[in-house]
Amino acid sequence: MDSQPPANESPPSTTPSNIGDVVPLYSSYLWNRVASLIPTSNSIILGKFSNLFRQTFTKSRRVSFPLPLPSEFPCSSPNISSDTSRIYAVLEEIMADVLSNLHDIQKSLDFWQSRAEGSNARKAYFMIFERGPVAFVNESKNFVRKSLSEDSAMQHLCQSSSSHMSDRMRVLMELRSSLASFLAQLYVELDKRGEDLLKNPEKSLPSLLAVINRLFSNLEGSFSHLHAVRESDSSIDGSYSMPLVFDRLPEINEEGSQWTDCELTDAINLVHKNLEKLNSYLSVMVGKHRKPRRMTLYWVRYTCGAVGLSVFSIWLLRHSSLMGSSDIDNWIHDAKEATMSFFSDHVEQPLLAIRDELFDTFRKRHKGVMETEEVQLTQDSLHRMLRNFCEQDTREKIPDNASDQEMLEVVMNRYEKELVHPIHNLLNGELARGLLIQVQKLKLDIETAMLELDQILRANEINFAILAALPAFFLSLGMLTLLRTWLKQDSRAQGRGRIARIHRRLLVVEIEKRIMQYQSYIEQGRDKDAENVFGLLIYSLERLYRVVENPARTSGEWDLVKQDLIELGKPQQQTSYKLTVTQRLVKHQRMPPFFSLLEMVKQTILAMTSTTDVREFVVNQRNGVKGLVDSLKLTTLPSPYIQPPQKRLTSDKILSSSSQIPVIDVSNWNDPQVASEICDAAAKLGLFQIVNHGIAPVELKALVAAARGFYQLPVEERSRYWKGSSVSETAWLTTSFSPYKDSVLEWRDYIKFEFLPQRHGFDDTWPPVCKAQVTDHFKRMKPIANKILNILINNLNSTINESNQQTLMGTMRMNFNYYPECPEPSLAIGTGRHSDINTLTLLLQEDGVLSSLYARATEDGDKWIHVPPIPGAIVVNIGDVLQIMSNDRYRSVEHYVLVNKSCSRVSVPVFCEPIRDSVIQPLPEVLENNEMARYRKVVYSDYLKTFFERPHDGKANIESVKLQGCGL
């Protein structure tokens, strides 16, 4: 059981080994930890100390996700021995360390991927300013030296940055893959042997330990392969100078007799040793390829801050009492007085003034208000006057309970009778008495109203007091809110706020994606890839398990959530059942509120998300619009895809007939009629379809199937080709048109292939699922493009020769355009209104799918023609280069691509274009008869750059090179 030293270390003396064999388990464990730090000739001391520090002083990631063993194991079984408990502890430790290492690798990998996807300027900034002061000095010197010696200093710096990042990404991805496979194999083995371990641990433990030994051997082989492949081409010094060699169990008969306690102890100790070796190895490897530490990453800011703080401290010291100066005391006194004065003038005094004015108003009001007794006296006086008048007028005794209203009616009746003799009644006094009664009644009404107003004011005194205190109340409330926000900050996914909920929702999306990837790989027979994805699935489940535990315990749903998460991790469980589990969690709300798996993620990315959130998921996380559609059940269009009304193509602009699209039979290329039809279509519409071109329909269908096959790959596989960090120099994937510049995104993903037959192995790194079909289609389309260009150029009284060959068809590119089904197609566009900037485009549309390609009918109108897919046909459209070279004899067609709700759509355009340094200008032959050139000379690379610097905007690019007075 002696440990085999790594190949790069000197063999240890036998004494420590013998001592380690005889001491008890924990003493042996401690001895191995200490002995591993003893320096040898080639040992990496920093790695040892780093590993010890990480395991001893840093907060460990406790195991959360349960092992796939029976729930009662190992506590409730009567057959459980101390060895079984120890092996259970070892298994937990293996899981904890592997998951912790995966977490460290993933964090660094995420960092490098985010930097690799940045712009060239961002990469250059990283190389100079984010790798520490030594790298700053070295890179600055190199950059200045390169700038003085050649013109491509910036390009060299960007290439250096890309190489720096890609080397680290490759190693980290391979380390992650190896660890994920190890974790998956261990998890599957434990799932198989769980019942046996519970029922008969004496027989199962030796077999399990042998399996663990074999898994460590497989991991060693995987890391050895990493060394063999990367040692020669790594740009990282010493990256592969320390191969990993694990200790091995002696050859035993796993089905034979039971092991002795000593053999079990030795085997468990050996697993501990191997785990320590693994941790030490990964500590060194990840340490060399990890993301820069925060201090290194932000050393410029920290340095500026330290310098500023030092200067401020020196300045402060000069003005302090320590140097005999009273400046600081005076400043503090002045600041205190200014603060108190401001508070008094702008807070305290205004509040007191409002209070005093209100109270003064109430005091003044109290001096002149009506009391209830005064109102009652006026009412009694009026009652007596009415009673006397009525008794005199009616000559009858008025009852005591007669109301004032009844008596007022008697007075009014008397008025009406006596108004015919006003002078007589005035002399008799009857009218004067009536007027006096009216005055008294008016007085009573006024006093009653004043009394009611006084009661209202008294009842609202407290409201006026509250109003006076509102400014102070809102100020206090704001301060308390800020304090609460600071105390209850989100702790990533474990927090309680909005950011934490977003993290948890994205973890759920990640788990669903990996479940589907695992199933896809199994169906394709890619067992190794499936094993890798399953390990990453366990890692994702463990992360989710940890972050959801506290919120779920708080809501009382932890037991249900825990069981469902365990179900999602069972290797033998059917994918359909796992998806049913997720649906059940949503339907019955068995998870905490933030766990509505599909609906809540949808709300995250649609309702709550800003444009930045969707762009982060689609662009920065390299999911593309297909990843967005696959992750969610969309019913509404995300806001970043909603086009402004002026950008949409409405039905009133679409011509009902598509018969204006010429369909040309090219079975005989030498037929003059064919040439005439091609030239006529190129001049009038700029677009036509050709049939009988010699490519078999089955070959075209195979190409479309290959395109769909690429987009059916798991998102991790597709993202390997994402623009900026593609594994291929001649193929890259992106979304929209220019996703980092588009204000509104287009509803499409596309992968672009460059056909460079002059470069050996240009297609070696293309996706295997479509590599052969793409290469063959390039070869089939090139002669067709040549024949069409020959016809068009001959019609201009010119020929294709060495002088214009590279301008007309120097390079070829191909796209696989993918337009997913869209929930609200009327609000989105697949490709914006534009004309192709190249020479000629040959487009293959997918048969049997509703086409959404529309071409502008006339240059000066806003009417559009539908271009329907014809089985076996190829759509040909003229590009800007040919319009410029023909001096407007041919027309580059402006076109739209819309999307539909019912299904996705694929199209495959092949672009024929000039080489980058070609000068584009009208052909001399078209200017022979003193015809004025309508376009200025332009270098194609500049024309291309201008095109990609702006969103799709019709023919704005060709207008920019049009000479004045020659409008389109």
Side-chain angles (χ1 to χ4, degrees):
M1 288 280 176
D2 289 343
S3 173
Q4 298 178 4
N8 64 324
E9 294 182 7
S10 299
S13 62
T14 58
T15 302
S17 178
N18 294 333
I19 295 175
D21 287 339
V22 297
V23 294
L25 170 66
Y26 296 105
S27 298
S28 175
Y29 177 68
L30 181 61
W31 168 256
N32 291 329
R33 292 289 295 274
V34 175
S36 65
L37 293 175
I38 299 175
T40 58
S41 58
N42 297 317
S43 63
I44 301 177
I45 304 301
L46 291 178
K48 300 287 187 178
F49 278 106
S50 174
N51 182 48
L52 181 63
F53 177 83
R54 180 177 66 85
Q55 296 182 5
T56 306
F57 295 101
T58 59
K59 183 178 179 181
S60 62
R61 286 168 51 91
R62 62 183 177 87
V63 154
S64 296
F65 199 66
L67 295 171
L69 297 172
S71 57
E72 62 271 19
F73 184 86
C75 303
S76 304
S77 176
N79 299 323
I80 293 301
S81 63
S82 60
D83 289 329
T84 305
S85 299
R86 286 164 55 199
I87 193 60
Y88 183 81
V90 169
L91 292 172
E92 283 192 326
E93 188 175 353
I94 293 174
M95 287 281 290
D97 287 355
V98 171
L99 289 169
S100 179
N101 284 311
L102 274 174
H103 185 68
D104 293 340
I105 291 171
Q106 188 63 47
K107 286 197 300 184
S108 295
L109 191 56
D110 291 342
F111 172 84
W112 292 120
Q113 287 175 340
S114 67
R115 287 294 188 271
E117 293 164 4
S119 63
N120 286 338
R122 185 69 185 84
K123 294 177 182 178
Y125 181 86
F126 168 78
M127 289 296 289
I128 297 177
F129 294 105
E130 293 185 344
R131 296 194 300 135
V134 176
F136 170 76
V137 174
N138 294 335
E139 289 296 338
S140 297
K141 290 192 301 184
N142 293 336
F143 183 77
V144 172
R145 186 165 57 250
K146 290 284 184 182
S147 299
L148 296 176
S149 62
E150 53 187 82
D151 297 332
S152 58
M154 188 65 181
Q155 182 180 357
H156 180 272
L157 183 61
C158 294
Q159 290 175 350
S160 175
S161 175
S162 298
S163 176
H164 179 89
M165 297 172 186
S166 61
D167 282 348
R168 284 155 177 79
M169 288 169 58
R170 289 190 188 101
V171 173
L172 289 173
M173 290 179 71
E174 292 182 14
L175 289 176
R176 185 184 68 171
S177 177
S178 299
L179 282 180
S181 296
F182 176 82
L183 178 62
Q185 292 169 8
L186 177 62
Y187 202 86
V188 170
E189 289 294 338
L190 292 178
D191 183 68
K192 291 179 181 177
R193 301 169 185 271
E195 294 298 331
D196 292 339
L197 286 172
L198 183 65
K199 297 176 181 178
N200 194 353
E202 287 78 7
K203 290 185 178 180
S204 300
L205 282 179
S207 176
L208 178 60
L209 288 170
V211 168
I212 295 174
N213 177 69
R214 176 173 54 81
L215 294 182
F216 273 113
S217 298
N218 293 342
L219 188 60
E220 176 187 318
S222 178
F223 288 151
S224 298
H225 176 71
L226 170 63
H227 280 257
V229 173
R230 299 298 179 190
E231 188 170 9
S232 60
D233 60 354
S234 174
S235 62
I236 304 170
D237 294 337
S239 297
Y240 308 97
S241 60
M242 189 187 69
L244 178 63
V245 179
F246 288 120
D247 295 341
R248 289 177 173 79
L249 289 172
E251 294 296 331
I252 61 167
N253 181 8
E254 297 180 10
E255 304 299 332
S257 61
Q258 296 182 357
W259 289 9
T260 64
D261 290 342
C262 182
E263 289 174 331
L264 282 174
T265 300
D266 289 344
I268 294 173
N269 290 344
L270 184 138
V271 172
H272 272 293
K273 289 181 182 179
N274 286 340
L275 188 58
E276 287 302 313
K277 286 188 176 185
L278 175 62
N279 288 333
S280 298
Y281 174 82
L282 291 174
S283 178
V284 174
M285 291 295 291
V286 177
K288 287 182 176 294
H289 302 85
R290 72 185 303 275
K291 67 176 184 178
R293 300 187 184 278
R294 186 177 183 84
M295 182 64 73
T296 304
L297 199 61
Y298 302 112
W299 73 273
V300 175
R301 302 181 191 179
Y302 291 148
T303 302
C304 294
V307 172
L309 185 62
S310 300
V311 172
F312 177 74
S313 300
I314 294 172
W315 177 85
L316 201 63
L317 183 63
R318 291 183 57 186
H319 293 277
S320 68
S321 58
L322 295 175
M323 302 297 292
S325 174
S326 60
D327 291 346
I328 293 181
D329 295 334
N330 294 336
W331 293 336
I332 293 175
H333 181 266
D334 293 343
K336 181 179 179 181
E337 287 191 348
T339 303
M340 295 301 295
S341 175
F342 177 84
F343 180 80
S344 176
D345 293 343
H346 298 281
V347 180
E348 184 179 18
Q349 291 302 325
L351 290 177
L352 292 177
I354 294 173
R355 183 199 65 182
D356 293 342
E357 288 179 6
L358 287 172
F359 288 165
D360 187 57
T361 300
F362 290 140
R363 284 193 295 269
K364 291 178 180 179
R365 180 175 57 79
H366 288 162
K367 295 178 181 179
V369 298
M370 286 290 147
E371 298 293 340
T372 306
E373 292 77 6
E374 295 181 25
V375 177
Q376 186 63 42
L377 288 175
T378 303
Q379 186 175 2
D380 292 344
S381 174
L382 177 62
H383 185 78
R384 289 194 302 271
M385 293 173 68
L386 288 172
R387 185 183 180 88
N388 292 335
F389 185 92
C390 292
E391 287 180 350
Q392 183 179 354
D393 183 69
T394 60
R395 314 283 193 212
E396 295 179 359
K397 182 70 174 178
I398 301 299
D400 293 337
N401 59 353
S403 66
D404 290 351
Q405 186 64 33
E406 293 174 349
M407 291 186 286
L408 278 173
E409 290 180 0
V410 174
V411 174
M412 296 305 297
N413 291 334
R414 181 61 183 270
Y415 280 169
E416 294 175 0
K417 293 178 182 179
E418 300 298 334
L419 281 178
V420 294
H421 303 292
I423 302 300
H424 179 268
N425 291 317
L426 183 60
L427 294 175
N428 290 337
E430 298 295 333
L431 189 58
R433 291 175 63 194
L435 291 174
L436 182 61
I437 290 172
Q438 290 296 320
V439 171
Q440 191 72 3
K441 178 66 170 65
L442 182 61
K443 179 184 176 184
L444 176 63
D445 291 341
I446 293 174
E447 290 179 349
T448 302
M450 290 293 293
L451 180 62
E452 292 176 353
L453 178 61
D454 180 66
Q455 291 173 345
I456 292 173
L457 292 175
R458 286 178 183 274
N460 285 277
E461 285 183 8
I462 185 64
N463 295 337
F464 286 109
I466 292 175
L467 183 63
L470 278 180
F473 171 75
F474 284 118
L475 181 62
S476 302
L477 182 62
M479 295 295 293
L480 290 174
T481 302
L482 290 175
L483 180 62
R484 179 182 180 274
T485 303
W486 181 76
L487 292 175
K488 295 198 170 206
Q489 297 181 67
D490 284 339
S491 175
R492 294 186 181 270
Q494 293 93 336
R496 299 174 58 185
R498 172 178 173 270
I499 301 300
R501 290 195 297 271
I502 293 174
H503 277 288
R504 289 192 285 262
R505 291 164 187 160
L506 292 178
L507 276 176
V508 173
V509 173
E510 181 180 293
I511 288 171
E512 268 205 330
K513 286 163 55 178
R514 284 179 172 160
I515 290 174
M516 298 303 296
Q517 290 169 16
Y518 176 74
Q519 179 63 27
S520 175
Y521 284 142
I522 290 294
E523 292 174 352
Q524 296 175 29
R526 299 164 61 179
D527 294 339
K528 189 64 178 178
D529 291 333
E531 188 177 78
N532 180 19
V533 170
F534 184 74
L536 294 176
L537 171 63
I538 298 301
Y539 165 67
S540 298
L541 285 171
E542 192 268 344
R543 290 174 59 198
L544 186 60
Y545 189 96
R546 287 186 301 105
V547 302
V548 75
E549 182 174 357
N550 289 337
R553 287 188 187 278
T554 302
S555 65
E557 299 173 304
W558 172 237
D559 291 338
L560 299 175
V561 174
K562 177 181 177 181
Q563 184 57 41
D564 282 339
L565 291 177
I566 292 173
E567 290 291 323
L568 293 176
K570 289 185 176 179
Q572 302 302 325
Q573 202 67 266
Q574 293 294 322
T575 300
S576 59
Y577 176 76
K578 291 182 179 181
L579 296 178
T580 301
V581 170
T582 61
Q583 294 293 335
R584 185 173 70 243
L585 292 173
V586 177
K587 182 177 180 180
H588 299 291
Q589 298 182 356
R590 294 179 59 183
M591 285 190 176
F594 50 80
F595 259 107
S596 298
L597 186 61
L598 298 176
E599 198 61 34
M600 291 302 291
V601 172
K602 171 183 167 183
Q603 293 299 323
T604 300
I605 301 182
L606 300 182
M608 58 64 68
T609 52
S610 63
T611 298
T612 304
D613 297 320
V614 174
R615 287 179 182 271
E616 174 69 22
F617 181 80
V618 173
V619 181
N620 294 337
Q621 295 183 19
R622 305 184 295 182
N623 289 286
V625 66
K626 186 178 191 301
L628 183 68
V629 172
D630 289 346
S631 299
L632 306 174
K633 302 300 182 184
L634 295 172
T635 57
T636 58
L637 187 68
S639 59
Y641 289 95
I642 298 178
Q643 298 288 334
Q646 64 272 19
K647 294 284 188 179
R648 304 172 195 166
L649 182 59
T650 54
S651 57
D652 60 304
K653 299 178 182 179
I654 300 175
L655 298 177
S656 58
S657 174
S658 59
S659 59
Q660 299 182 42
I661 305 295
V663 179
I664 303 174
D665 185 346
V666 295
S667 55
N668 183 5
W669 288 100
N670 297 321
D671 187 350
Q673 181 64 27
V674 171
S676 175
E677 291 179 2
I678 288 176
C679 295
D680 186 62
K684 292 181 179 178
L685 184 61
L687 181 144
F688 53 92
Q689 301 201 59
I690 59 174
V691 295
N692 298 325
H693 39 67
I695 303 177
V698 66
E699 294 174 334
L700 298 178
K701 290 182 179 179
L703 179 66
V704 171
R708 284 200 170 271
F710 173 78
Y711 288 104
Q712 288 170 0
L713 292 174
V715 67
E716 279 79 8
E717 186 69 20
R718 296 199 307 270
S719 64
R720 294 177 62 240
Y721 297 91
W722 198 264
K723 186 177 181 180
S725 60
S726 176
V727 298
S728 174
E729 295 183 0
T730 54
W732 45 265
L733 172 71
T734 189
T735 189
S736 186
F737 172 60
S738 183
Y740 296 101
K741 297 179 181 179
D742 292 344
S743 57
V744 182
L745 297 176
E746 296 176 353
W747 192 260
R748 71 156 176 165
D749 295 334
Y750 66 95
I751 181 170
K752 187 180 295 292
F753 302 93
E754 288 188 281
F755 185 61
L756 303 173
Q758 68 277 11
R759 183 190 301 181
H760 177 71
F762 72 95
D763 58 351
D764 287 348
T765 53
W766 286 1
V769 70
C770 59
K771 171 183 173 181
Q773 290 82 357
V774 172
T775 304
D776 291 344
H777 192 64
F778 268 126
K779 295 176 180 178
R780 287 192 293 262
M781 297 303 290
K782 187 172 183 178
I784 295 178
N786 271 323
K787 291 174 182 177
I788 296 175
L789 284 174
N790 268 297
I791 291 173
L792 294 173
I793 297 302
N794 290 339
N795 188 56
L796 299 176
N797 296 321
S798 182
T799 58
I800 298 179
N801 50 45
E802 293 183 358
S803 63
N804 58 23
Q805 172 70 37
Q806 295 299 308
T807 302
L808 289 169
M809 198 173 169
T811 62
M812 294 180 69
R813 292 180 294 110
M814 184 191 306
N815 282 7
F816 279 175
N817 294 327
Y818 183 83
Y819 304 93
E821 56 272 21
C822 180
E824 294 179 289
S826 61
L827 303 180
I829 57 175
T831 304
R833 181 172 56 90
H834 73 288
S835 61
D836 292 342
I837 62 171
N838 49 290
T839 309
L840 200 68
T841 302
L842 296 92
L843 171 72
L844 173 62
Q845 299 195 82
E846 186 175 11
D847 294 344
V849 176
L850 178 63
S851 171
S852 301
L853 175 62
Y854 293 84
R856 186 186 285 275
T858 57
E859 287 281 1
D860 54 354
D862 196 18
K863 294 297 182 180
W864 299 80
I865 310 171
H866 180 221
V867 184
I870 298 175
I874 294 175
V875 180
V876 181
N877 61 277
I878 307 301
D880 289 352
V881 170
L882 205 52
Q883 178 169 337
I884 294 172
M885 296 181 71
S886 69
N887 209 35
D888 282 352
R889 284 171 170 75
Y890 299 136
R891 168 190 168 193
S892 62
V893 63
E894 196 173 344
H895 51 283
Y896 256 119
V897 178
L898 304 186
V899 291
N900 64 74
K901 189 174 184 177
S902 58
C903 61
S904 60
R905 175 175 171 269
V906 167
S907 66
V908 184
V910 174
F911 304 97
C912 304
E913 59 183 339
I915 59 175
R916 295 299 176 90
D917 58 355
S918 296
V919 177
I920 311 303
Q921 59 183 328
L923 290 169
E925 288 82 358
V926 301
L927 303 178
E928 286 181 348
N929 297 324
N930 296 323
E931 182 176 333
M932 296 295 296
R934 302 190 177 198
Y935 300 93
R936 60 179 175 86
K937 296 179 181 180
V938 61
V939 178
Y940 186 67
S941 59
D942 296 336
Y943 193 70
L944 196 67
K945 181 181 179 181
T946 305
F947 180 70
F948 283 100
E949 282 180 347
R950 68 181 80 181
H952 279 144
D953 188 19
K955 302 188 72 169
N957 213 48
I958 195 172
E959 289 177 355
S960 66
V961 298
K962 192 94 170 179
L963 295 175
Q964 293 184 356
C966 301
L968 287 176

